[in-house]
Amino acid sequence: MQAEADNRELKDKVEDARKKKATFGEDIDLDKYPEASKDIPKVDSLTDLSKDEQATLLNAGVIPSEEGRAGSFVFMDETVVHTSVKMPGVEVMPVSEALKKYDWLRDYYWKAVQPDADKYTARTFEEQADGYFIRALPGAKVKAPVQTCLMLKGKSVAQTVHNVIIVEEGAEMEVVTGCSTSKGVERALHMGISEFYIKKGAALTFTMIHNWSEQIGVRPRTVIQQAEDSTFINNYVALKPVRTIQTYPTARLDGKNAFARFNTVAIAHPNSELDLGSRVIMNAEGSRCDIISRTITTGGKVIARGQMIGAAPGIRGHLECRGLILGKGGVQIAIPELEARVADVEMTHEAAVGKIAQDQVEYLMSRGLSEEEAVGIIVRGFLEVGIRGLPEALKREIDLTIEKTSVKGL
Amino acid sequence: MTMLELLLMLEIENLSVEVGGRKILRDVNLSVMAGYTNVLFGPNGSGKSTLLMTIMGFSGYKVTEGRILLNGEDITNLPINERAARGIGIMMQRPPNLVGVRLRSMVQVTGKGKVDPEIAAKELDMEPFLERDVNVGFSGGEIKRSELLQLGAQNPCLYLLDEPESGVDLVSIEKVGAKVHDMLRAGSTCAGWKMQSGKAALVITHTGQILDFIEADRGYVMCKGTIACSGNPRDLLAEIRKMGYEECVRCKLKLTTVN
Ligand SMILES: Nc1ncnc2c1ncn2[C@@H]1O[C@H](COP(=O)(O)OP(=O)(O)OP(=O)(O)O)[C@@H](O)[C@H]1O
Ligand SMILES: [Mg+2]
C-alpha cells in the first residue's frame, strides 16, 4: 500500500514537472515534437541495415560488422533494432527487458536521475522510455568496447531514451556510444536519461560521439554513481553542427578514493549553441577528479561549465576549460566553479578563451607552412589534449572533421 | 674571385626596426654572400635576435626604414611562409610551445613527408622527444636540438641561427656542431632556390664555440641596435674577449666623428 502511495506521489510530481524549464539552455516546446516511432523493423545483423544507415553508424564510431566489439545495441527513434553480445562477462539488452528479468533493477532505475528534474526527464519518465541496459559482471574485464547507437530517423519527432549501465565490483568495461541523425532528418529532439553505477574497484570508460545535424535539439541527463576505489572516464566529442545541446553530466563519488575524469571536445558551428557542463561531487575521503574541456567556435556559442564540489577531506581536483575563437561571430563562455565544504581539499581551475596564438601560427609559417595549414595543426593540437587516449579509429574520424572545420573556420 | 662567389644572398640596407613602438634597430647594413657563413656578436639586448626575427618576417617587428633583399629580390614586405619558400630558415632563441603537436609531426610536415623523423632524430639523440609536444617542457639545450632537427627537415638555403650552442652541454655540442656543419655543407638542392655555391648562414654567438665546427667567413658586431664593426670573425672575437664591447662602441664613435 505504501509503495502504491509513493508511486502516485511520484506520478503527481512528474506531472507537475511537465512544463518545468531546465536551469540551463534554451527552453524547447515539447508539444511541437510528437513521440518517435516504436515499431521500426529489427535486424539480426547490423550489416542488414541500409548502406546509408551503416555509414551513419560508422560516422558515429559504431562498427556494423561488430568486429572488435564485445556487444552492440542500436536504437532507432524509440525502437530497439538490434542487441548482441559477442564476448563473455557482459550483458546487453533493452532496459525494458532487464526490468522484467531483474527485480533488483528497481533499485537503480530512476534512482540516480530525478524524474521530476525538468520537463525533459518528466517526458522521458511518462513515456516509459526504453534504452540500453549494459552490465559488466562481477570481476569481469570486458576485452573490447560495447558499442551503442542512438539514431534519430523520424522527421520532427522527439526521441526519449533511458539507459542504465552497471559495472559490478572489480569489473572493467568500455562503452562507445554514437548518437546521430539518419540522412534527410532535419528538425528533431533527443532526450536521454543515463544512469551509471560503478561499484567498488570497478572501472568504466564511456565515450560519446555526438553526430547530430543542424536542426536537432539535444537534452541528455546523466548521473554517475561511484563506489569506493572506482574509476570513471568520460570522453565527450561533439564536432558536427547541431541546433542546441544542453548537458551537465554529474558524477557522485560516494566511496573513498574514487576517481572521475571528464574530457570534452566540441566545436560550435554558426547557429549552434552548446551548453556543456561536467560536475563532480566528491563526497568521500580521497576522491579525485579532472575536468578538461577544449572547445572551439567557428561562429556558434559555447558555454563550458564545470563544477567541482569537495565535501570530504583529502580531496584533489583540477578543472581546465580552454576555448578558441575562430572566424567571426562566435562566443565562448567559460564558467568554472569550485565549492569546498571542508578545509582539507585541493581544488584548482584554469580557464582561458581567445583567439589562436599568433606566435604559434608564425612559428609554423617560418617552417614553410601556409597560414591555413598552420592554423589547422594548432587547432588539431588544441583538441588533441582533450582526446588523448581515444581509440585510433575514432581519432582518425575526428581528424577528418577537424580538417574540414578549420578550413571553414577561417 | 669569380662572379659566382660575389653573389649576395642576403643584403640588409639601412634597416631600422621598431618593436612595441620602440626603435630597436637603426640603420643596419649587413650582407651574407652565397655559400658564406657570417657571425653576429654583440652584448645582451643589442638587437641581434631582433634582426633575425625581422629577416624572417615575424609580426611585431616593424621595418620603418630600409630594405631586406634575398638574392636581389626585395622581401621586406613578404609574408613569413613566402620567405621560407624562398629558402630562409630560422632557429629561434625562444620558440613558442605547441601544445598537442608532437615533434614527430612537426618534422614530418616541415620535411613535406620526405624526411624520416626517426633517422633525423637519431643524429641529434632526439628519438625520445619525437612523441613529446614541441618545446613543451624542453630544457634549453633540448630546444636547440629540436630546432636543429626541424631545420634539417626544412632544408633552407639561408640559415638564421640564434645562439645554436647556448645551453648545450659539452657532449651534445659535438653533435650540434657536426649537424650545423653538415647542414651548411649539404648539397645545393635546397628548398626554393637553385644556387650552386652552397648554403649561407647568419649565426649569432656569444662564446664563439660554434666557430670550432663551422668555417665562419665574416663577423659583425652589433651594439645598441646598429652594426658597430665588421671583419675577420676570430680577430673580432679575440678583440671582444680582451677589450669587451665598450671598445667597439668607442671605436664606432671615433669612426663616425672622423667621417
Ligand atoms: N616586444 C618588445 N617590447 C619592447 N622592447 C623589446 C621587445 N622585444 C625586444 N625588445 C628590446 O629590444 C632589445 C633588443 O633585444 P634582442 O632580443 O634583439 O637582443 P639580443 O641582442 O638578441 O640580446 P641577447 O644577447 O640577450 O639575446 C632589448 O633591449 C629588448 O628588451
Ligand atoms: Mg637574442
Side-chain angles (χ1 to χ4, degrees):
Chain A
M1 287 305 278
Q2 184 57 42
E4 228 170 82
D6 284 352
N7 231 338
R8 199 162 324 113
E9 198 190 331
L10 179 59
K11 278 200 171 130
D12 289 344
K13 272 181 156 170
V14 173
E15 203 179 312
D16 290 343
R18 275 181 193 166
K19 299 267 170 216
K20 187 172 164 188
K21 289 182 184 171
T23 314
F24 303 119
E26 168 195 332
D27 186 51
I28 297 172
D29 181 359
L30 296 185
D31 295 338
K32 289 194 178 143
Y33 296 88
E35 197 171 344
S37 170
K38 280 189 159 58
D39 36 44
I40 291 169
K42 300 189 174 23
V43 290
D44 287 333
S45 161
L46 293 178
T47 52
D48 293 340
L49 292 169
S50 74
K51 284 259 157 0
D52 277 350
E53 282 166 338
Q54 289 190 44
T56 307
L57 292 183
L58 258 178
N59 282 335
V62 176
I63 299 167
S65 72
E66 302 186 53
E67 222 178 279
R69 297 296 197 223
S72 301
F73 178 95
V74 174
F75 196 68
M76 291 183 180
D77 279 352
E78 295 192 356
T79 315
V80 179
V81 169
H82 176 83
T83 63
S84 71
V85 173
K86 303 275 176 196
M87 289 180 191
V90 64
E91 294 180 330
V92 180
M93 64 185 93
V95 77
S96 56
E97 200 178 307
L99 283 165
K100 284 180 211 145
K101 188 169 175 186
Y102 298 126
D103 277 340
W104 51 256
L105 188 50
R106 294 280 160 199
D107 296 337
Y108 299 86
Y109 190 72
W110 283 117
K111 289 296 185 283
V113 175
Q114 296 301 311
D116 62 344
D118 58 36
K119 66 203 296 186
Y120 312 108
T121 59
R123 168 97 171 234
T124 311
F125 180 88
E126 293 193 318
E127 284 188 4
Q128 295 183 30
D130 210 346
Y132 56 74
F133 169 82
I134 303 173
R135 175 172 174 241
L137 301 178
K141 315 270 186 245
V142 184
K143 290 238 158 47
V146 173
Q147 61 179 6
T148 81
C149 180
L150 309 174
M151 200 191 291
L152 270 166
K153 270 182 79 75
K155 291 187 180 152
S156 305
V157 296
Q159 174 188 57
T160 55
V161 193
H162 190 162
N163 306 312
V164 177
I165 295 180
I166 298 174
V167 189
E168 299 285 0
E169 280 194 15
E172 286 171 21
M173 177 166 67
E174 190 179 322
V175 175
V176 180
T177 289
C179 295
S180 75
T181 316
S182 88
K183 225 174 157 180
V185 176
E186 280 163 13
R187 192 174 142 269
L189 177 63
H190 164 93
M191 290 166 270
I193 307 300
S194 295
E195 301 181 284
F196 300 166
Y197 297 86
I198 311 174
K199 306 236 178 126
K200 191 174 169 188
L204 174 65
T205 300
F206 183 81
T207 300
M208 180 147 76
I209 317 260
H210 269 180
N211 260 359
W212 305 105
S213 53
E214 276 89 348
Q215 294 305 322
I216 309 292
V218 183
R219 293 291 181 269
R221 298 293 179 255
T222 305
V223 173
I224 305 99
Q225 207 91 49
Q226 290 185 245
E228 205 174 322
D229 294 322
S230 65
T231 301
F232 176 63
I233 295 171
N234 189 78
N235 299 307
Y236 176 71
V237 179
L239 305 177
K240 297 272 167 74
V242 62
R243 174 74 264 290
T244 160
I245 299 179
Q246 187 273 311
T247 181
Y248 213 142
T250 299
R252 296 177 188 280
L253 278 49
D254 292 332
K256 280 185 187 173
N257 303 320
F259 172 70
R261 180 191 183 103
F262 285 89
N263 294 319
T264 300
V265 167
I267 299 177
H269 298 261
N271 304 315
S272 290
E273 182 164 331
L274 308 181
D275 188 326
L276 309 174
S278 303
R279 182 186 290 118
V280 182
I281 303 172
M282 293 178 280
N283 287 323
E285 214 177 314
S287 306
R288 287 167 302 126
C289 78
D290 278 325
I291 298 175
I292 295 169
S293 140
R294 289 279 190 278
T295 55
I296 291 177
T297 168
T298 60
K301 182 172 177 181
V302 180
I303 306 170
R305 302 177 197 275
Q307 189 185 29
M308 289 190 316
I309 300 173
I315 276 165
R316 269 186 299 139
H318 182 64
L319 196 162
E320 190 184 306
C321 297
R322 287 181 193 275
L324 263 190
I325 301 181
L326 297 181
K328 287 200 175 69
V331 179
Q332 281 274 7
I333 303 172
I335 311 177
E337 224 179 303
L338 307 181
E339 183 177 326
R341 294 185 187 157
V342 293
D344 180 21
V345 297
E346 189 188 319
M347 298 194 294
T348 53
H349 80 70
E350 285 173 68
V353 295
K355 67 176 175 125
I356 203 159
Q358 189 61 21
D359 61 336
Q360 296 180 16
V361 175
E362 294 190 355
Y363 182 42
L364 285 162
M365 287 173 73
S366 78
R367 296 275 179 256
L369 279 73
S370 69
E371 187 171 357
E372 289 75 22
E373 290 168 327
V375 168
I377 287 176
I378 292 161
V379 165
R380 175 69 181 75
F382 173 82
L383 296 178
E384 165 76 22
V385 175
I387 57 170
R388 272 190 182 158
L390 278 194
E392 280 308 313
L394 273 179
K395 277 197 186 172
R396 272 195 295 279
E397 186 57 43
I398 290 165
D399 281 345
L400 279 177
T401 312
I402 294 168
E403 247 168 56
K404 287 179 212 153
T405 304
S406 48
V407 173
K408 270 199 238 154
L410 290 166
Chain B
M1 270 191 229
T2 70
M3 283 305 289
L4 206 60
E5 276 169 322
L6 281 169
L7 274 179
L8 287 172
M9 185 176 277
L10 176 73
E11 277 178 274
I12 309 284
E13 289 179 0
N14 308 321
L15 193 74
S16 293
V17 174
E18 263 181 33
V19 182
R22 232 184 93 195
K23 194 160 192 170
I24 305 292
L25 299 182
R26 346 169 237 119
D27 206 20
V28 172
N29 287 284
L30 171 154
S31 62
V32 184
M33 276 190 280
Y36 275 53
T37 296
N38 291 1
V39 290
L40 188 56
F41 302 109
N44 293 140
S46 56
K48 303 180 298 297
S49 297
T50 302
L51 178 61
L52 260 51
M53 296 295 276
T54 308
I55 297 170
M56 192 72 237
F58 287 98
S59 62
Y61 297 83
K62 196 176 155 212
V63 175
T64 53
E65 267 167 80
R67 335 186 271 169
I68 304 167
L69 304 176
L70 185 74
N71 300 315
E73 181 192 7
D74 186 345
I75 60 160
T76 318
N77 296 309
L78 276 189
I80 305 167
N81 56 322
E82 288 187 27
R83 299 185 199 208
R86 281 165 176 71
I88 306 184
I90 189 169
M91 168 198 276
M92 273 199 245
Q93 189 171 22
R94 237 175 287 126
N97 290 354
L98 297 183
V99 176
V101 182
R102 291 197 166 90
L103 184 58
R104 175 187 298 281
S105 26
M106 189 72 172
V107 172
Q108 275 161 345
V109 295
T110 305
K112 308 252 182 284
K114 283 182 232 139
V115 175
D116 183 339
E118 296 294 335
I119 296 172
K122 207 170 159 83
E123 274 184 273
L124 290 159
D125 277 339
M126 286 296 280
E127 298 110 304
F129 294 85
L130 288 175
E131 301 314 319
R132 298 246 318 249
D133 289 358
V134 179
N135 300 330
V136 179
F138 283 15
S139 74
E142 287 161 2
I143 285 185
K144 297 295 171 193
R145 284 189 280 151
S146 145
E147 289 282 287
L148 267 187
L149 177 58
Q150 295 170 43
L151 267 184
Q154 188 176 350
N155 188 26
C157 301
L158 173 65
Y159 287 79
L160 305 173
L161 306 179
D162 200 337
E163 302 188 23
E165 75 274 71
S166 114
V168 178
D169 67 55
L170 284 173
V171 180
S172 303
I173 187 82
E174 299 284 335
K175 299 219 169 195
V176 166
K179 178 71 186 169
V180 172
H181 176 269
D182 291 351
M183 287 195 309
L184 293 181
R185 287 290 151 266
S188 57
T189 51
C190 45
W193 192 57
K194 305 176 284 293
M195 185 66 202
Q196 289 120 331
S197 57
K199 305 188 170 189
L202 181 58
V203 184
I204 297 175
T205 177
H206 283 293
T207 62
Q209 246 179 318
I210 196 74
L211 299 182
D212 296 343
F213 302 91
I214 53 175
E215 285 162 45
D217 298 288
R218 193 179 171 83
Y220 288 91
V221 182
M222 181 169 278
C223 286
K224 300 199 164 123
T226 197
I227 300 296
C229 179
S230 73
N232 178 298
R234 288 183 179 276
D235 294 349
L236 283 176
L237 188 61
E239 200 77 0
I240 294 162
R241 282 219 175 100
K242 210 161 59 198
M243 322 280 284
Y245 286 112
E246 282 305 306
E247 191 52 33
C248 297
V249 179
R250 222 168 299 146
C251 175
K252 165 87 175 171
L253 277 178
K254 241 189 292 172
L255 281 177
T256 33
T257 34
V258 171
N259 287 346

